[in-house]
Amino acid sequence: MRARARVIESMFADIPDAEPAVISPNLGIPAFLDQEARVADSKDVYRFTVNIIGPRQLGAAQVHERLAGSIVAVPLFEVVPGTRRLRRGTPLPLRLAPVQETPCLLLGTSPLASLYQNRQDRPSYLLRHDFFGKNRALFHTTASLDFAGAPAECRDWLRGHPFLMFDLVQSYGAGTTAKERTCYHAIVLRNKDYTSFHVAQITDIHLARRYDEVLDCLSGFLGPFGDILDMKRVVDFFKGRFRRASREKRVQDEIFRETEYRRFNPLNRRFQNPNNKLRQFIIWANQAAAREHLDLVLITGDILDYCQKEDVQKTDYSLGDTNWDLFLRIMLNLPVEYRAGCEPTKIVRHEELAVPVFTLPGNHDLRVHGYPLPAMNYYKYFGLTRFEAMLYKDPVKLSVEKSLAIDKYCLKPYYQHINPFDDYYVKLGDRLFIMLNSGADSFLNIKSLLMANPGCVGFKDTQLTFCRRVLEACAPACGDGSTSLFVSHSPILNPALRGAIWKSIQSALRGKKYAPPESYKEANLRAHGRADTNVVYDLDFGIGTISRNRDQVLKFLFKHRMTALCGHTHLQREFRFRFTGKPEEMEPMGMDDILKKKLLEIRWDDYTDNESPAFVQENRPFVLQTPSLGIRRQEEKRDFGAFREVTFLGDRLEGIQVRYLSRLGNEF
């Protein structure tokens, strides 16, 4: 008899209605306390900006009164073997400067409106759309952490580790109504410089609670020995289980069409659970950090496969109704509440992440519902067969049309509990990361939709202004851009054969075969005697990419010689490009005019696999697509669990290769 679902108390307090609440720093945008954050003439006092949301009727003085003395920083130490969570130490008090009301978030000491060059009095996007509730206002203050009074274990920890993380815990209410709200992993006190700095980029995780439940749900159909049954026994099983003739015939037809059983391993071996890939990555990340081989993780979109949990009929996008709850619980190694009757199996036993992260949303993070597993061969990403995918039933009926529905409020839990910023930058020493949200699915590029490779909306003019203003402010410290990265979810370049739709029709009707786009890589072209490896006129680079301001982003990257890190396609694709015209002539040109005048060159190869990091650094700009951490098609001849490691040493790029969890071997 199946156990009933456990009711698990939420660890994530909602934004209180009548109280102010800290919204950043937070899990996805921590504050780094380093030499630049240290107060002048002080050895142990650090300052950082705190963004606050509160009721509109409260003035800044009232907000300060309610927050003063109620916020502490809780240090995080080693993983406790029993709970496999980080040990929390003695809280350190924070001192707050006078609170001020502001129409927008503050990024460091700069209002976002000034970086976007918007009107200074224009209310934030978060306020205009009530992401934190109605009648809210934004406030900010400067918090000071005096490390002089820290417990001895904090100082002992920093003698053997490059950083110490803290939770930011806020208390409010009194007596029986007293509550706490925690911004997890919100502060990083770093006692080491950034000369040697290690970054891991993960993208396209595609988390959803249903992927923990699939094996258990299918075991009810396939029987206790379903994984080892051969074809004949599966047929016999279903003949006895379904009596109605129409149902029996349909099932038998699907079984006999199912040739994949003959070449695949048993289901419990080949099923690819994207939730487990994140759990496995956390194990690797903690081990790498313990060896001082990892300092930071960038999560670049498609964190979720879709937002709303499967058994939720209607929602106001509270955290518990969405898969953002699953993401937080995996990151913090907290118990997950599953549907009644589900007993998940093959769940990786992992730990709470012990490395700071910066996050960006992707297009899937704004999708309300998921794909039905049989639709569009989606089941292949998880190692399932069509037959198995048809057996799995979601509690709420899904369709391809529903799965393409997007809603900006899918990001409501993300803004409240993870990161309230769409766009921001991270400056650590002379390392600069410009983080931009590339938006939801774009329905403007019809070719991309017809090829089942939808792109993203892209970047607004204000986002490009943001990039320019950030570089103006940071350029003196960040040099020539050799250690700077432009980070987004959607790629700026992504190739397909020219006339790909017509060629696919010809392939289907006439059996005519065409060389895949990968045949245009530099190494392949040279092997066939082609000296000119520029492929901008051989391929269409606008499929499955951004719809807005693609030409402007390419010009920005070329001008500042920046490398772009992205995801979205689930593939490792790497391009270098350059403009051959004069900058002042090209600036007003659109992409069509640039191509007509042959002023753009694009080359494609596996540069980070085949060339040295010095080659990548010297031949910037590059657009580097990182494969998916969470999912891949079963027939793809590559390993699973991809991520990209980027290593800086001084002003040099020491490494920027793609790695796979399945290849790590003894590193786990």
Side-chain angles (χ1 to χ4, degrees), residues 368-501:
V368 183
H369 303 287
Y371 287 116
L373 288 179
M376 303 172 65
N377 293 334
Y378 200 56
Y379 61 90
K380 291 186 177 182
Y381 283 109
F382 309 98
L384 297 172
T385 64
R386 175 175 288 279
F387 178 55
E388 292 160 346
M390 291 178 65
L391 292 179
Y392 177 80
K393 302 297 181 185
D394 287 294
V396 177
K397 186 175 181 180
L398 300 177
S399 66
V400 175
E401 294 77 13
K402 286 180 67 175
S403 68
L404 293 176
I406 59 177
D407 189 342
K408 60 178 175 287
Y409 291 104
C410 289
L411 292 181
K412 175 182 171 183
Y414 174 80
Y415 291 145
Q416 291 191 3
H417 298 277
I418 300 168
N419 184 348
F421 290 86
D422 280 320
D423 310 307
Y424 58 100
Y425 70 93
V426 183
K427 183 179 176 298
L428 303 173
D430 59 357
R431 323 289 182 210
L432 177 65
F433 309 100
I434 297 179
M435 315 283 289
L436 289 192
N437 180 2
S438 56
D441 292 299
S442 172
F443 300 102
L444 299 177
N445 192 326
I446 302 300
K447 285 195 295 184
S448 294
L449 291 175
L450 292 176
M451 294 173 66
N453 191 8
C456 295
V457 171
F459 306 111
K460 301 176 183 177
D461 293 340
T462 52
Q463 289 177 285
L464 295 177
T465 301
F466 173 90
C467 294
R468 297 184 189 103
R469 295 295 299 273
V470 167
L471 278 185
E472 289 172 6
C474 300
C478 296
D480 63 353
S482 61
T483 58
S484 300
L485 296 174
F486 179 98
V487 185
S488 67
H489 173 65
S490 181
I492 299 95
L493 295 173
N494 191 50
L497 294 174
R498 290 193 175 274
I501 297 176

Side-chain angles (χ1 to χ4, degrees), residues 7 21 68-69 86-87 108 156 280 289 303 392 394 400 444 491 522 595:
V7 177
L86 301 180
R87 179 172 64 86
D156 292 341
Q280 289 174 298
I303 300 170
Y392 177 80
D394 287 294
V400 175
L444 299 177
E522 280 196 69
L595 293 176

Side-chain angles (χ1 to χ4, degrees), residues 214-232:
V214 163
L215 285 179
D216 183 63
C217 292
L218 290 182
S219 68
F221 287 97
L222 297 178
F225 304 106
D227 282 335
I228 58 173
L229 293 177
D230 61 17
M231 183 67 70
K232 183 177 182 302

Side-chain angles (χ1 to χ4, degrees), residues 24 42 44 162 182 221 225 271 284 318 320 416 474 501 511 550 563:
S24 81
S42 170
D44 293 312
T182 302
F221 287 97
F225 304 106
F271 176 63
W284 173 85
S318 60
Q416 291 191 3
C474 300
I501 297 176
R550 189 162 63 99
T563 295

Side-chain angles (χ1 to χ4, degrees), residues 191-210:
N191 71 336
K192 185 179 178 182
D193 64 23
Y194 301 102
T195 301
S196 176
F197 198 67
H198 306 265
V199 179
Q201 178 212 4
I202 60 175
T203 188
D204 298 275
I205 312 171
H206 290 272
L207 300 174
R209 189 182 61 177
R210 73 175 176 182

